[in-house]
């Protein structure tokens, strides 16, 4: 709990510093870690992250395999909340370089591989596990050619299995290429938000800094069979002769019991014209960029066109009804009420208390909290405050925003409860339910998934200590703020209904088709605004790709809000026109039903796009996380639709003259 407060103080200090010195600042760079310059011969340390696979989605520790250990022992890097939840486990590694010094070095030779180690290496190889190495906060890139197309990957495989062969071969020699940019600067202010926290670097005009910046990091993996008796005579970091990757399998290192594997690496430095602020450009180039842009634009135009037509027709219809109704005198209005059907006949029932009103208030409160978290997070990400260089920052920011927005959830939910009931009695129960409803669902699902991850010995499993941290954050921040918001909701001016509610409810006429069909169908229009973006988001989560088109995501989110509001209002009006005054839940699910299509699309993505995903454990994990996402979408979109419909109905009936 102390960690976020320390970060907060650092952020404020850096912000104040920036304001004070902005008049002498030549330039500043905000996203990512702050720049570090190295002198020739300075030691560079490579870190390793968890082993990951798009086949299983179960991360494992790097040192769960028989790799060389660093001389000073394994040391874990400090990780933020988001990194821990994402299953990242960043450790030091035996790989170390000297700036601008090309070398070829020996690391170690393993003892004879045991049966368990061979089984584990073969399993990780066949599950396509990747080793993720990091230098100066840059993941290693690997390029491969497949069907004439150059494909970019992060990390390198544990091993490989040649086509038509039953043997597996381990990657035991790495060729690193480090791209550096020679730097000379003066009077530069640089602000960073990296894993080291907020940093401010200042060089005065009189003091010039020079050295090399790391602007690129690539790796070429090889499998080479060494003579273990000969290699064992070397010590760690002894120089060896550079070697080329063999193309013959008999010269590659096979994974077999009692084999002794020697690990080596070489590093080459190459000067580059890429500047430090642009070094992440190579990682953020998404596949199919042209399809992405044109598909999104096409979707936006179609949705704007459909929503515009619906909204114009709707405005004309309602305005005509109101104008005709208000032009009549009272006697004619009374006669018209007896003869005509439509929304005007449910004037005495339209604000009747809905079924399960407490649950509705709780879901609307949680929806306000989730929607607020999403909007603020995407806005910050669109402006570059949540760079991919800052691992886990996006998830950490989302969690903290959700906790602090409990005050908005409590206020919205309790005020709706007070409006429906006409009294503040029971607001504490409503506030507690708001604080517990969505977090409780997430807690149950994550706990079930965590037992699966624990059984698999995956680093993706949430430690017990982190459970206590999350519960403490929830109990000490979210719950009090939700109760405070609920208290403020009881003090706020209550929303007065414009019409009185009859004691006896009006009978709803029978319909040919059930209303839930219309509600389910209404969710297709909001889904049309986001399904293309959803594809790219799912690809970034499950295929290990970087997602950084938050500008487009912000546009899609704003468009989704507009379409959800319009769809829900139109559907509410249609129900009122057929004398169906039970509009409350239908207004919520008219836009909230988009979550059903999101979940079905996730299943479609699992079946047709994640064909490589293997095993029931991976499928259960995928479906569990997809279910959490769908519930969050339902609460957020349903809240948009309900609140818009509520204010529309309030406005509509306050415009009608009633005795």
């Amino acid at each position: 709990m102390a960690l976020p407060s320390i970060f907060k103080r650092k952020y404020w200090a850096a912000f104040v510093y920036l304001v004070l010195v902005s008049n002498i600042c030549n330039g500043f760079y905000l996203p990512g870690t702050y720049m570090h310059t190295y002198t020739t011969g300075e030691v560079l340390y490579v870190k390793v992250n968890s082993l990951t696979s798009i086949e299983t989605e179960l991360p494992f520790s790097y040192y769960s395999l028989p790799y060389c250990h660093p001389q000073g022992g394994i040391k874990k890097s400090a990780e933020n909340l988001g990194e821990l939840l994402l299953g990242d486990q960043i450790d030091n590694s035996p790989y170390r370089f000297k700036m601008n010094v090309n070398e070829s070095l020996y690391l170690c030779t393993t003892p004879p591989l045991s049966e368990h180690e061979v089984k584990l290496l073969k399993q990780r190889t066949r599950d396509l596990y990747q080793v993720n190495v990091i230098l100066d906060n840059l993941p290693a890139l690997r390029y491969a050619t497949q069907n004439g197309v150059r494909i970019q990957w992060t990390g390198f495989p544990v091993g490989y299995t040649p086509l038509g062969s039953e043997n597996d071969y381990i990657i035991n020699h790495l060729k690193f290429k480090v791209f550096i940019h020679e730097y000379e600067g003066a009077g530069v202010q640089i602000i960073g938000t990296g894993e080291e926290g907020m940093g401010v670097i200042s060089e005065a005009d009189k003091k010039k800094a020079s050295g090399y910046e790391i602007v690129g990091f690539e790796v070429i993996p090889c499998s080479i069979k060494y003579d273990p008796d000969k290699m064992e005579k070397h010590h760690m970091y002894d120089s060896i002769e550079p070697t080329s990757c063999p193309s013959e399998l008999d010269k590659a290192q096979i994974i077999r019991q009692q084999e002794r594997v020697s690990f080596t690496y070489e590093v080459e430095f190459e000067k580059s014209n890429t500047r430090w602020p642009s070094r992440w450009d190579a990682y953020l180039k998404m596949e199919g960029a042209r399809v992405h842009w044109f598909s999104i634009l096409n979707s936006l135009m179609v949705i704007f066109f459909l929503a515009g037509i619906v909204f114009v027709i709707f405005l004309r219809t309602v305005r005509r009804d109101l104008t005709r109704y208000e032009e009549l005198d009272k006697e004619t209005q009374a006669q018209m009420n007896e003869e005509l059907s439509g929304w005007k006949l449910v004037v005495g029932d339209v604000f009747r208390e809905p079924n399960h009103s407490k649950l509705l208030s709780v879901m609307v409160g949680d929806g306000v909290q989730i929607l607020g978290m999403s909007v603020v997070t995407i806005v910050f990400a669109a402006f570059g405050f949540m760079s991919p260089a800052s691992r886990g920052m996006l998830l950490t920011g989302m969690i903290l925003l959700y906790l602090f927005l409990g005050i908005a959830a409590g206020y919205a939910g309790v005020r709706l409860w007070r409006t429906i009931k006409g009294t503040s009695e029971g607001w504490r129960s409503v506030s507690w339910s708001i604080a517990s409803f969505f977090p409780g669902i997430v807690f149950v699902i994550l706990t079930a998934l965590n037992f699966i991850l624990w059984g698999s010995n995956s680093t993706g499993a949430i430690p017990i200590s982190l459970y206590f941290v999350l519960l403490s954050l929830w109990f000490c921040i979210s719950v009090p703020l939700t109760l405070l918001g609920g208290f403020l909701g009881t003090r706020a001016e209550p929303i007065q209904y414009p019409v009185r509610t009859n004691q006896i409810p009006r009978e709803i006429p029978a319909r040919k088709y059930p209303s839930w069909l219309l509600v389910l169908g209404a969710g297709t229009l909001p889904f049309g605004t986001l399904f293309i973006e959803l594809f790219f988001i799912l690809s970034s989560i499950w295929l290990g790709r970087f997602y950084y088109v938050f500008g487009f995501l912000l546009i899609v989110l704003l468009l989704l809000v507009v379409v959800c509001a319009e769809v829900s209002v139109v559907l509410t009006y249609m129900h009122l026109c057929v004398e169906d005054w039970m509009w409350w839940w239908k207004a919520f699910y008219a836009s909230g039903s988009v979550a059903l299509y999101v979940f079905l699309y996730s299943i479609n993505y699992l079946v047709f796009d994640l064909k490589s995903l293997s095993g029931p454990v991976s499928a259960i994990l995928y479906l569990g996380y997809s279910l959490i996402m769908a519930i969050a979408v339902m609460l957020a979109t349903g809240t948009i639709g309900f609140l818009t419909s509520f204010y529309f109905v309030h406005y509509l009936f306050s415009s009608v003259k009633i005795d």
Side-chain angles (χ1 to χ4, degrees):
M1 285 183 62
L3 197 60
S5 62
I6 292 170
F7 283 160
K8 192 175 180 181
R9 287 198 297 271
K10 286 184 177 181
Y11 278 43
W12 276 109
F15 178 78
V16 172
Y17 184 86
L18 172 64
V19 172
L20 292 175
V21 301
S22 58
N23 59 331
I24 58 168
C25 177
N26 293 339
F28 70 94
Y29 178 71
L30 192 60
T33 55
Y34 56 82
M35 181 176 64
H36 191 106
T37 56
Y38 301 90
T39 56
T40 301
E42 187 174 348
V43 178
L44 310 175
Y45 295 97
V46 177
K47 296 180 180 180
V48 288
N49 203 343
S50 300
L51 307 174
T52 54
S53 168
I54 60 172
E55 291 236 341
T56 65
E57 300 298 343
L58 294 170
F60 290 98
S61 169
Y62 173 82
Y63 292 107
S64 63
L65 296 181
Y67 287 128
C68 303
H69 288 210
Q71 287 180 333
I74 301 170
K75 297 175 184 176
K76 298 185 183 298
S77 296
E79 294 174 311
N80 58 42
L81 185 62
E83 287 177 308
L84 291 170
L85 289 172
L86 290 170
D88 287 349
Q89 183 176 312
I90 301 176
D91 304 314
N92 61 335
S93 80
Y95 298 103
R96 71 181 190 192
F97 313 146
K98 293 179 182 177
M99 172 56 74
N100 213 14
V101 177
N102 297 340
E103 295 178 298
S104 183
L105 304 174
Y106 165 80
L107 275 182
C108 74
T109 300
T110 67
L113 294 177
S114 65
E115 183 182 354
H116 172 71
E117 289 172 331
V118 169
K119 182 180 178 182
L120 205 58
L121 280 170
K122 283 179 170 288
Q123 185 179 349
R124 298 288 182 264
T125 299
R126 300 198 175 189
D127 285 340
L128 304 182
Y129 269 88
Q130 303 289 311
V131 179
N132 300 292
V133 292
I134 304 164
L135 175 65
D136 194 42
N137 211 32
L138 278 181
L141 280 178
R142 174 172 62 91
Y143 294 97
T145 304
Q146 205 171 55
N147 299 326
V149 180
R150 195 176 188 225
I151 301 173
Q152 174 182 299
W153 300 88
T154 54
F156 60 90
V158 170
Y160 64 94
T161 307
L163 288 174
S165 173
E166 294 184 358
N167 294 322
D168 302 297
Y169 297 85
I170 189 172
I171 299 298
N172 63 333
H173 179 75
L174 300 175
K175 292 187 175 184
F176 293 107
K177 183 178 284 187
V178 182
F179 294 91
I180 55 177
H181 179 79
E182 193 166 2
Y183 170 77
E184 291 183 4
V188 180
Q189 305 283 347
I190 301 168
I191 293 182
T193 55
E195 60 181 4
E196 297 87 351
M198 195 73 173
V200 178
I201 302 175
S202 176
E203 291 88 16
D205 289 333
K206 295 179 181 179
K207 182 181 178 182
K208 293 191 175 182
S210 61
Y212 296 99
E213 312 157 354
I214 297 173
V215 295
F217 185 36
E218 294 180 8
V219 62
I220 300 173
C222 303
S223 180
I224 302 174
K225 184 172 179 59
Y226 292 108
D227 181 353
D229 295 325
K230 181 180 177 182
M231 296 300 291
E232 205 170 27
K233 296 176 181 177
H234 292 92
H235 296 92
M236 185 176 278
Y237 303 124
D238 281 355
S239 296
I240 59 171
E241 288 295 321
T243 183
S244 57
C245 297
S247 55
E248 300 87 359
L249 288 179
D250 58 342
K251 294 182 179 179
Q253 179 59 60
I254 194 171
I255 301 174
R256 190 166 50 198
Q257 200 168 339
Q258 297 303 313
E259 282 284 328
R260 298 165 68 194
V261 182
S262 297
F263 288 91
T264 56
Y265 71 96
E266 53 189 276
V267 57
E268 176 188 350
F269 288 85
E270 185 176 314
K271 291 190 177 180
S272 170
N273 292 324
T274 303
R275 293 187 175 273
W276 189 83
S278 305
R279 66 181 192 158
W280 274 90
D281 290 357
Y283 300 84
L284 303 181
K285 292 176 182 176
M286 297 188 67
E287 298 295 327
R290 183 173 295 182
V291 175
H292 177 81
W293 287 79
F294 279 104
S295 298
I296 294 290
L297 287 174
N298 180 62
S299 176
L300 292 175
M301 288 189 291
V302 170
I303 295 303
F304 268 126
F305 179 71
L306 291 175
I309 291 176
V310 170
F311 203 60
V312 167
I313 293 173
F314 160 73
L315 278 178
R316 289 184 59 187
T317 304
V318 173
R319 184 161 294 180
R320 187 178 65 245
D321 282 355
L322 283 173
T323 305
R324 285 177 55 198
Y325 192 77
E326 291 176 356
E327 285 177 351
L328 302 174
D329 56 33
K330 292 182 180 179
E331 186 178 341
T332 313
Q333 284 181 11
Q335 183 182 355
M336 186 178 180
N337 283 342
E338 294 177 1
E339 295 175 356
L340 295 180
S341 62
W343 59 269
K344 296 174 286 295
L345 294 181
V346 296
V347 66
D349 298 276
V350 70
F351 291 109
R352 188 177 301 281
E353 181 181 341
N355 297 326
H356 311 294
S357 55
K358 182 178 179 180
L359 179 61
L360 179 63
S361 301
V362 169
M363 293 175 73
V364 168
D366 278 333
V368 168
Q369 194 171 5
I370 294 168
L371 182 64
M373 174 199 70
S374 305
V375 171
V376 175
T377 301
I378 293 172
V379 167
F380 271 84
F383 283 101
F385 285 90
M386 294 181 180
S387 166
S390 308
R391 288 176 184 81
M393 185 65 73
L394 187 67
L395 186 56
T396 304
M398 289 174 67
I399 292 171
L400 293 178
L401 279 170
Y402 180 84
L403 293 173
F404 285 103
L405 283 170
I407 190 168
Y411 178 85
V414 169
R415 195 172 184 201
L416 176 61
W417 167 259
R418 189 183 179 200
T419 300
I420 293 173
K421 289 291 186 179
T423 176
S424 300
E425 188 178 350
W427 70 270
R428 290 182 183 84
S429 173
V430 173
S431 298
W432 271 102
S433 299
I434 291 170
S436 307
F437 182 72
F438 181 67
I441 293 173
V442 173
F443 181 80
V444 169
I445 295 174
L446 286 184
T447 302
L449 297 179
N450 220 42
F451 279 115
I452 297 173
L453 291 169
W454 273 332
S456 304
N457 294 319
S458 170
T459 60
I462 302 174
I464 293 292
S465 58
L466 186 57
Y467 260 110
F468 284 110
V469 169
L470 292 172
L471 286 172
S472 301
L473 288 172
W474 170 78
F475 189 75
C476 297
I477 298 177
S478 184
V479 172
L481 286 177
T482 306
L483 289 169
L484 175 60
F487 175 76
L488 295 175
T490 63
R491 298 299 178 189
E493 189 70 24
I495 302 172
Q496 299 293 338
Y497 292 147
V499 294
R500 292 189 301 271
T501 301
N502 296 334
Q503 290 186 350
I504 302 174
R506 181 186 182 88
E507 185 179 354
I508 300 174
R511 301 179 62 179
K512 293 182 179 178
Y513 304 102
S515 57
W516 59 266
L517 280 178
L518 195 60
V519 170
L520 286 179
T524 56
L525 196 57
F527 180 70
T529 66
L530 59 83
F531 82 95
I532 294 174
E533 204 66 29
L534 185 62
F535 170 80
F536 287 96
I537 292 172
L538 291 175
S539 297
S540 71
I541 294 173
W542 299 106
L543 296 180
R545 299 172 184 170
F546 287 101
Y547 182 88
Y548 208 62
V549 198
F550 288 106
F552 258 110
L553 186 59
L554 179 61
I555 295 172
V556 170
L557 178 64
L558 296 176
L559 187 61
L560 179 66
V561 170
V562 174
V563 174
C564 284
E566 291 178 344
V567 165
S568 187
V569 165
V570 170
L571 202 73
T572 299
Y573 180 71
M574 291 174 65
H575 280 108
L576 294 178
C577 283
V578 294
E579 304 175 36
D580 185 353
W581 48 266
M582 300 178 68
W583 58 272
W584 303 73
W585 281 106
K586 290 165 187 171
F588 186 92
Y589 284 116
S591 52
S593 60
V594 67
L596 174 64
Y597 298 99
V598 168
F599 188 69
L600 291 175
Y601 184 81
S602 300
I603 295 174
N604 173 80
Y605 187 85
L606 172 65
V607 174
F608 295 102
D609 293 282
L610 283 181
K611 294 178 181 178
S612 61
L613 203 64
S614 60
V617 171
S618 303
I620 291 171
L621 287 172
Y622 174 87
L623 292 174
Y625 293 129
S626 298
L627 183 60
I628 292 174
M629 178 179 66
I631 293 171
V633 169
M634 179 197 71
L635 292 172
T637 55
T639 297
I640 296 166
F642 172 78
L643 292 178
T644 312
S645 294
F646 180 84
Y647 284 105
F648 159 71
V649 172
H650 190 279
Y651 169 78
L652 182 64
F653 283 91
S654 63
S655 304
V656 180
K657 298 174 183 177
I658 303 293
D659 288 338

